[in-house]
Amino acid sequence: MTEFSNEKIDTTQLPRYEAVPLTALHPNYWKELLVARGLLVLGLAIALVSALIFIEEFIDYRWIAATGFIVFVVLLLLITNITYKKKAYAFRTHDVIFRSGIIATNTMVIPYNRVQHVALHEGWIARFFGLAKIEIFTAGGMSSDLEIPGIAKEEAENIKQLLMGKIQKQL
Amino acid sequence: MEVNFNQPQRQSAIGVLVIFLEMIFVLVKNIWPIIVITLLKAEDKSVWIGLLIALAIMVYFGVYSFLKYRNFTFYIDADIDEFVINDGIINKTKTAIQLHKIQQVNIKQNFIQRLIGVYAMDVDTAGSDQKEGNIKAISHTLALALKSKLLENEGKAVIDQAEAEVAQAVQTKAPFLKINLVSLLKIGFTSNYVKSIGLILTFFFTIYENLHQAGAEDLVDTDRIKGLVDGYSLLYTMLVFVLMMFTVIFVINVVRTLIKFFDYTVTKQKGSLMLTYGLISTQSTILKPEKVQIVKVSENYFQRKLNVLEIKIRQAISDGKKDSKSLIEIPGCNTAERDEILKLLFHELPLKGVMMLPNFRRLIFSVFLIIILPLTAYFTLGKFVSPEVLEYQTGAWIYALLMATLLFFGYRNYRLFVADKHIIKQSGAWDVDQEIIQIDKIQAITTSQLFWHKSLNIGSLTMHTAGGNITFHLGQFDQINEYVNRWLYEIETSNSNWM
């Protein structure tokens, strides 16, 4: 094992991950989220309406159900919007930064020399909007894997190539 | 004896017996209540039928285990560097494990194998979910030969280890650490209370459930127990019960520790550690320092007084399911031995560096969540729904007091120590754990901050390693960020091998 020197580092002079300007996700990602949530809401609405039609006693609760449903939809939209706005990413020379979260702001940093492999995923809704998702895997298991959604297809392809190049160089 | 492992090999011929006995053992374990009931209530005729069935099962098992033995072969494919196992009578399975993926080779012996005098061998890999190599019956010399063959190419990969090997050759045989009986007894007396209570409860419930299913509740005479209880005052019975419970827990703890860890020996071997232990079944595990991710040193008040502690070592894992397998325990070493082990695993003694304290909001939040919320729910329930639950008020207050004490000590022990190369997280109320990781084993870092904590400058930090995560909640956030930047710099500028 090569002994490496460990001179004193001026920590105030190091590049700061928290000060890096992050790139927001593609605006089409908001549309993608809306379609996905819309399908969910549609499914629920169908279930609710069929319950109203087929279960007789349920008719008494129709106003409560309707109000509940509307509140749920509004909340869902709000949360989805926050999720969308919060998500942002940045690729630095040596690591990738991804921010997400609703109540909390989670910032994850993965150095390229810890990346095991990179994958590109296109969901069917995402493909419709020309978007793709980059998945970055480390050896740390599920909790330290990273998914960056809502990146334009060609850009995602470029990023994947970039990451692959970085990993190759490490080996 | 030089064995050519490149040709397909069978297990030891006596392995037929091992497979056979193991099958019988599993069967008896599963249906013993039925057997007991049949024997207790049987008439002559049903005994004969039972015997016939037993004989048929025996013959079936015999044929099955013979075929299983005939069809089980293993060999090393030298061309593609793979360890191949063929298995299965009708459905054939071929398991191929690439040699460089092999992480551990364990030679074990359970009770049956010990009786017959053969060993079992497990081949563990780091990643895949797939079933891994398991040879049930192999002689000791053969097992050792195969083990060294399987782990051979690892030595080739790491060249500088050759020198270390020469240096260590002199002291190879002398055990590096041997845990004596007294230490094991101390550990047995001072740890795992909760686990033992769980075990006792499971045991009783299993027996009850089995008897219940077999319709033999009348075997336990409830009236007699009732009569016994009525004879004395409630307090006295409670006292006796608690005392009995504690005695049983102690006994079980001690016996369990002794059986599991008897004759715990650690020897150095080619730069890695070889652990052997166990009374009834001997386990042997190889531990490679470079694969160690998290080392946890636990100690409680009694153990500190008796100078014993427990070490748990987590190696690289890829999925949660194999959690228990990647965990290696070293029970009952003293502080000097702990330092020796840590030195060996980390190449130096990890120092406690700069201390970081959690914000007091952490204590307040946990008190709110664990004491105030349940108590409020309890009293609301008592006041408005069913007043009879309030009869147990004393219990609620005892709970609150106990929890408050635990939470307070938990908060007081909650610390993060950051040194140049290591991070130590200390936590726990009664059992105080110190989790040690090396900075260059970090895979990824996550920081997290609730939006109302922004102006307070507090937040959380999670370090992801291949052996699990370490999280520190509610520390001073700008300091956390400074550390993160420093660690990222260190990880990204060095080329150290994290596994």
Side-chain angles (χ1 to χ4, degrees), chain B residues 15 30 65 247 294 315-316 334 422:
Chain B
N30 285 325
S65 31
T247 323
I294 303 178
Q315 291 181 281
N334 58 34
H422 304 99

Side-chain angles (χ1 to χ4, degrees), chain A residues 27-47:
Chain A
N28 274 356
Y29 181 57
W30 172 237
K31 294 178 196 160
E32 181 196 332
L33 281 176
L34 277 185
V35 172
R37 298 293 186 273
L39 287 175
L40 178 78
V41 169
L42 193 70
L44 274 173
I46 289 172

Side-chain angles (χ1 to χ4, degrees), chain B residues 110-126:
Chain B
N110 63 22
F111 187 63
I112 295 168
Q113 284 153 344
R114 177 167 279 203
L115 274 183
I116 296 168
V118 290
Y119 289 79
M121 206 166 113
D122 277 344
V123 179
D124 279 1
T125 60

Side-chain angles (χ1 to χ4, degrees), chain B residues 42 44 48 51-52 66 104 145-146 162 190-192 218 226 237 267 279-280 291 300 303 333 342 354 375 387 393 447:
Chain B
D44 284 354
W48 283 111
L51 275 179
L52 271 178
F66 179 70
Q104 271 185 49
L146 183 56
T190 53
S191 61
N192 289 329
D218 43 321
K226 251 199 195 129
T237 328
T267 36
L279 182 65
I280 295 173
K291 287 193 177 160
N300 59 36
Q303 289 169 342
C333 41
L342 289 181
V354 186
L375 239 58
Q393 255 188 54
T447 58

Side-chain angles (χ1 to χ4, degrees), chain B residues 435-491:
Chain B
E435 286 169 289
I436 310 169
I437 58 167
Q438 267 173 295
I439 289 170
D440 55 13
K441 295 275 164 79
I442 293 176
Q443 298 286 329
I445 302 175
T446 305
T447 58
S448 178
Q449 190 175 39
L450 296 164
F451 66 77
W452 63 89
H453 281 167
K454 212 166 228 165
S455 54
L456 295 164
N457 186 26
I458 47 180
S460 305
L461 163 75
T462 304
M463 290 153 281
H464 309 268
T465 76
N469 300 338
I470 287 190
T471 304
F472 186 75
H473 290 291
L474 299 191
Q476 203 189 328
F477 203 55
D478 53 4
Q479 204 182 357
I480 288 179
N481 283 337
E482 200 184 309
Y483 283 138
V484 170
N485 287 323
R486 203 184 86 199
W487 296 334
L488 286 173
Y489 166 78
E490 272 160 32
I491 293 167

Side-chain angles (χ1 to χ4, degrees), chain A residues 1-4 6-7 9 11 14-18 92 94-95 102-111 113-114 116 138-144 170, chain B residues 160 317-318 347 420-421 440 442-452 464-466 469 477 481-482 484-486 488-492 494-496 498:
Chain A
M1 178 165 287
T2 48
E3 211 61 50
F4 73 92
N6 204 354
E7 64 281 356
I9 311 154
T11 42
L14 287 175
R16 287 161 22 135
Y17 85 96
E18 70 271 25
R92 294 201 288 182
H94 295 291
D95 50 31
I102 300 163
I103 305 172
T105 307
N106 305 313
T107 314
M108 187 176 212
V109 190
I110 300 181
N113 56 5
R114 295 294 187 271
Q116 296 274 317
T138 69
M142 288 277 283
S143 67
S144 62
Q170 303 294 339
Chain B
D160 11 6
I317 46 160
S318 307
H347 307 295
D420 280 349
K421 283 186 192 169
D440 55 13
I442 293 176
Q443 298 286 329
I445 302 175
T446 305
T447 58
S448 178
Q449 190 175 39
L450 296 164
F451 66 77
W452 63 89
H464 309 268
T465 76
N469 300 338
F477 203 55
N481 283 337
E482 200 184 309
V484 170
N485 287 323
R486 203 184 86 199
L488 286 173
Y489 166 78
E490 272 160 32
I491 293 167
E492 287 159 10
S494 74
N495 257 330
S496 63
W498 57 268

